[in-house]
Amino acid sequence: MSPRLLIATDQKGDWRVARRLLPYLWKYRYRIGVALMFLVLARVANVSVPLVLKNIVDHFTEGGNLVLIVPMALLIAYGVLRFSAILFNEMRNVAFSRAGVAIIHHISMVVFKHLHNLSLGFHLDRKTGGLSRDMERGNMAVTNFLRIIVFNIIPVAIEIALVLYILWLQLNIRFVLITVLMIVIYCVFTFMITRWRTRFRVQMNDSDSSANTRVLDSLLNYETVKVFGNERLEMERYGDSLNGWVSASLKNNLSLSYLNAGQGFIIAVGLAVLMILAANGVVDKTLSLGDFVMINAFLIQLYIPLNFLGSVYRDLNHSLVDMEKMFDLMDERPKIVERDNASVLKFKKGQIRFENINFAYQADNPILKNINFEVAGGGMLALVGPSGSGKSTLARLLLRFYDPDSGAIYIDDQDIKSLTLESLRQIMGVVPQDTVLFNETVGYNIAYGRPGVSDPEIVEAAKIAQIHDFISQHPQGYDILVGERGLKLSGGEKQRVAIARVAVKGARILIFDEATSSLDSRSEKAIQQALENVSINNTTLIVAHRLSTVINADEIIVLDKGEIVERGTHQSLVAGGRLYSQMWALQQQHG
């Protein structure tokens, strides 16, 4: 747990987080205003009930026939006020529920969009399980916070103010001062103990996120766990995370008992003092029996929300803690941003040019050094070299997942930094080494390349990728579910779905990033043919480890330790007798 987070939650961070909600609340201010109006009416009706009850009791104690002595209007008013308090509360609920749901929907969409706008580096450094948990708790926290404020805090504050005003008018200042003192002591005690307990909530959240991350990570790698027989290891890792949560949870529950006991003691003392004063007033004839009943009714009305206020404040503080992590995500700034005057890419032939590119993920470890090359429009260029030489990094730079430290990349003589990200990536299609599919149907995954595409176009793309026959032979056809991350499909089948997805997109610049490196020879030939089909008349950049897949490239660039050490056609590089020739000979030996 970071010191910064402890400082934020134990000092002033909570309410700074709460202020972040104001723009969202302001958008729905009219609905919230109507809800608050009904809220005030409900509180006024509620505090009027003891006043009517006082008059009923006073009339009853004067003696005589009940029906004649007690005005019928008071009895009717009592019932009407009781019902009005309930009715206005329900009208408040209806008015606020629409606003509350709309606010949560708005915030959820903003956070989701923001996460997609963050740079690739952020997502590579984050653990998906913990990230999804922070989002889930953040959305729930916003819901709880609004519910607590509108349904608990504001109503209690209004009711306390009205009761104090009535006690001051009807009785004397002593009742007001004692009531105020009891409320102040109660609130200060609750505030101090809850602040102390906050650290346990933070520890619970961190342990919960860690446990959830390990669950998702383990299940996503189910096959690896089973192959290595490491179920016991996964259980131990998960148990370690849960142990932290259990420890923090026990401390949280023990401190809760301490808080509840203290709150109960303060309320009991305050009630006892006020009732003793009221009883003495009745004995001294300075107060009527109706006054005694009214005070008792007011104290009961205050006692219930005050007793609940302790848990409300805890929930409120917990919500603020949970919201903080969600807003921390929103405070993350993307490293790759469009310029204010970014223009739409004007595609001509698809010429690509890298000029003097230098790049490092970490400043002390340069990945690319002074890279210069050009791919003609409609041409094919291959990047080969040992692992870690920077081949895939060049593809990421072209997609603008990262920006080079120096130098520039051009498409049809347009600097990609001057273009909108949407227009840049719209013309590109990528077939990666490890194709990740959505847990949907094959048809959905192919159509993902261009949402809204027609069924005949999906079939045509599947034929180009040479996967249509496989799909057609299955009873479910294009409705085959591919499973989590496409685990129900073989490696070659997943690659062909990825190729079909690129084909249906109609991309003009294609990037094949080690697309056949993990396949057997038979699958490799099938995928190679599918790649050739989809790359016809398109500019193609191939990142390859298997040199047999780049023989027909117009130009092959050989990278080593981030530098271009050779370039040329396959025949010229083999004849050169340098690194490429050595790699080719080694791969030929191993078949």
Side-chain angles (χ1 to χ4, degrees):
M1 179 172 45
S2 67
R4 184 193 64 78
L5 185 57
L6 273 179
I7 291 172
T9 53
D10 285 344
Q11 295 182 11
K12 298 180 180 179
D14 290 347
W15 290 104
R16 285 200 297 269
V17 172
R19 289 198 293 270
R20 298 284 296 271
L21 289 175
L22 292 179
Y24 304 100
L25 297 176
W26 182 251
K27 183 176 181 180
Y28 302 96
R29 57 191 179 277
Y30 297 115
R31 292 182 185 179
I32 294 174
V34 171
L36 292 178
M37 178 187 70
F38 287 128
L39 185 154
V40 171
L41 292 174
R43 293 303 99 186
V44 170
N46 205 41
V47 298
S48 298
V49 170
L51 288 173
V52 174
L53 186 61
K54 161 188 159 52
N55 289 321
I56 292 174
V57 172
D58 283 341
H59 281 285
F60 179 71
T61 55
E62 290 178 3
N65 186 282
L66 176 62
V67 177
L68 296 176
I69 295 176
V70 180
M72 187 63 66
L74 286 176
L75 295 174
I76 295 173
Y78 182 83
V80 169
L81 288 172
R82 282 287 187 188
F83 175 72
S84 297
I86 297 172
L87 177 63
F88 288 136
N89 273 328
E90 293 305 317
M91 294 175 72
R92 172 203 63 183
N93 294 347
V94 171
F96 186 77
S97 62
R98 294 183 63 188
V101 169
I103 291 169
I104 299 305
H105 178 271
H106 187 189
I107 292 176
S108 298
M109 293 299 294
V110 168
V111 175
F112 188 70
K113 179 181 179 181
H114 179 73
L115 290 176
H116 277 284
N117 287 336
L118 292 177
S119 307
L120 176 63
F122 169 84
H123 289 282
L124 292 178
D125 292 336
R126 294 285 299 198
K127 294 184 177 180
T128 305
L131 186 65
S132 64
R133 199 70 166 185
D134 289 342
M135 286 181 59
E136 178 186 351
R137 278 203 304 258
N139 286 331
M140 292 180 61
V142 172
T143 303
N144 290 335
F145 178 83
L146 296 177
R147 175 184 56 79
I148 290 168
I149 292 295
V150 176
F151 292 173
N152 299 111
I153 301 296
I154 295 178
V156 170
I158 292 174
E159 189 154 354
I160 288 174
L162 290 173
V163 168
L164 292 175
Y165 180 68
I166 292 171
L167 289 177
W168 181 53
L169 289 180
Q170 295 285 325
L171 305 174
N172 60 60
I173 196 64
R174 288 186 302 168
F175 290 91
V176 175
L177 293 177
I178 292 172
T179 303
V180 169
L181 182 62
M182 178 187 69
I183 293 172
V184 169
I185 294 174
Y186 181 94
C187 291
V188 170
F189 175 79
T190 301
F191 176 82
M192 293 175 61
I193 300 302
T194 303
R195 284 289 182 178
W196 168 63
R197 296 183 64 242
T198 297
R199 67 190 66 187
F200 305 132
R201 178 69 178 192
V202 174
Q203 292 171 0
M204 286 175 62
N205 285 354
D206 289 344
S207 298
D208 184 47
S209 294
S210 176
N212 190 63
T213 296
R214 290 189 172 177
V215 167
L216 286 180
D217 194 36
S218 181
L219 293 178
L220 288 175
N221 292 282
Y222 171 82
E223 287 190 59
T224 305
V225 173
K226 302 301 289 186
V227 166
F228 287 94
N230 279 336
E231 294 90 345
R232 184 182 298 275
L233 174 62
E234 293 301 312
M235 289 292 292
E236 290 175 354
R237 294 177 68 227
Y238 183 50
D240 289 342
S241 296
L242 285 182
N243 288 339
W245 178 84
V246 168
S247 176
S249 181
L250 288 174
K251 292 176 182 177
N252 185 62
N253 291 335
L254 288 174
S255 60
L256 174 60
S257 297
Y258 177 69
L259 176 61
N260 286 339
Q263 290 171 339
F265 178 76
I266 295 169
I267 291 292
V269 172
L271 284 174
V273 172
L274 286 171
M275 294 311 297
I276 290 172
L277 283 177
N280 288 335
V282 173
V283 173
D284 297 340
K285 306 293 188 183
T286 56
L287 297 178
S288 66
L289 187 59
D291 290 325
F292 183 88
V293 172
M294 179 189 70
I295 294 170
N296 185 64
F298 273 140
L299 292 179
I300 291 174
Q301 284 189 188
L302 284 182
Y303 172 78
I304 295 174
L306 272 180
N307 188 54
F308 188 62
L309 189 61
S311 59
V312 164
Y313 183 78
R314 291 191 302 273
D315 291 343
L316 178 65
N317 206 65
H318 294 168
S319 296
L320 292 169
V321 171
D322 291 344
M323 280 195 297
E324 184 171 27
K325 283 198 171 184
M326 182 182 70
F327 283 118
D328 281 346
L329 293 175
M330 296 180 67
D331 288 337
E332 291 283 345
R333 296 295 96 194
K335 294 180 180 178
I336 305 301
V337 294
E338 295 179 355
R339 295 176 180 174
D340 293 336
N341 58 346
S343 58
V344 175
L345 172 66
K346 298 176 181 178
F347 187 87
K348 300 172 185 175
K349 296 181 178 180
Q351 179 198 47
I352 301 171
R353 188 168 78 254
F354 281 65
E355 282 190 1
N356 304 316
I357 297 298
N358 292 277
F359 177 75
Y361 292 107
Q362 298 175 341
D364 58 348
N365 184 25
I367 301 298
L368 298 172
K369 307 169 188 175
N370 197 33
I371 300 296
N372 290 275
F373 65 83
E374 183 176 318
V375 189
M380 178 183 293
L381 180 138
L383 298 168
V384 302
S387 298
S389 58
K391 306 184 297 296
S392 295
T393 298
L394 285 169
R396 288 178 171 180
L397 291 176
L398 181 58
L399 286 160
R400 214 182 162 209
F401 288 153
Y402 298 93
D403 281 335
D405 298 329
S406 63
I409 302 172
Y410 298 90
I411 295 178
D412 289 331
D413 296 322
Q414 301 164 76
D415 188 341
I416 64 172
K417 285 186 178 180
S418 68
L419 305 174
T420 63
L421 293 173
E422 181 180 3
S423 67
L424 172 66
R425 294 168 185 166
Q426 186 62 41
I427 64 163
M428 295 192 188
V430 182
V431 180
Q433 175 182 0
D434 183 20
T435 297
V436 177
L437 302 179
F438 292 94
N439 190 7
E440 287 280 356
T441 65
V442 169
Y444 175 89
N445 278 281
I446 295 175
Y448 197 79
R450 181 157 54 95
V453 66
S454 66
D455 290 342
E457 289 175 297
I458 293 174
V459 172
E460 182 61 29
K463 289 179 178 178
I464 292 174
Q466 297 190 340
I467 196 175
H468 174 70
D469 291 342
F470 162 76
I471 297 173
S472 300
Q473 292 170 6
H474 196 281
Q476 292 178 297
Y478 282 83
D479 292 328
I480 305 169
L481 288 172
V482 304
E484 191 81 37
R485 298 172 65 87
L487 291 177
K488 291 184 178 180
L489 302 181
S490 69
E493 290 161 355
K494 287 198 295 183
Q495 292 296 77
R496 277 177 275 191
V497 170
I499 294 170
R501 187 162 57 188
V502 168
V504 85
K505 182 179 182 180
R508 302 303 306 276
I509 295 177
L510 306 178
I511 301 172
F512 303 145
D513 189 358
E514 305 275 14
T516 63
S517 64
S518 60
L519 304 177
D520 57 67
S521 298
R522 183 177 179 181
S523 296
E524 178 186 352
K525 290 180 180 179
I527 297 300
Q528 188 64 34
Q529 183 59 53
L531 292 175
E532 290 177 7
N533 293 342
V534 78
S535 61
I536 294 175
N537 299 323
N538 292 321
T539 303
T540 307
L541 187 68
I542 302 177
V543 176
H545 175 70
R546 291 186 181 181
L547 302 185
S548 59
T549 62
V550 301
I551 293 176
N552 298 323
D554 299 324
E555 183 179 21
I556 300 171
I557 288 178
V558 185
L559 292 169
D560 187 24
K561 298 179 181 178
E563 297 181 279
I564 296 178
V565 294
E566 291 183 83
R567 62 199 316 162
T569 62
H570 172 72
Q571 290 79 10
S572 65
L573 291 173
V574 170
R578 299 173 62 190
L579 178 59
Y580 184 90
S581 179
Q582 296 168 13
M583 293 169 60
W584 174 256
L586 185 62
Q587 290 188 16
Q588 290 298 103
Q589 290 176 10
H590 289 83

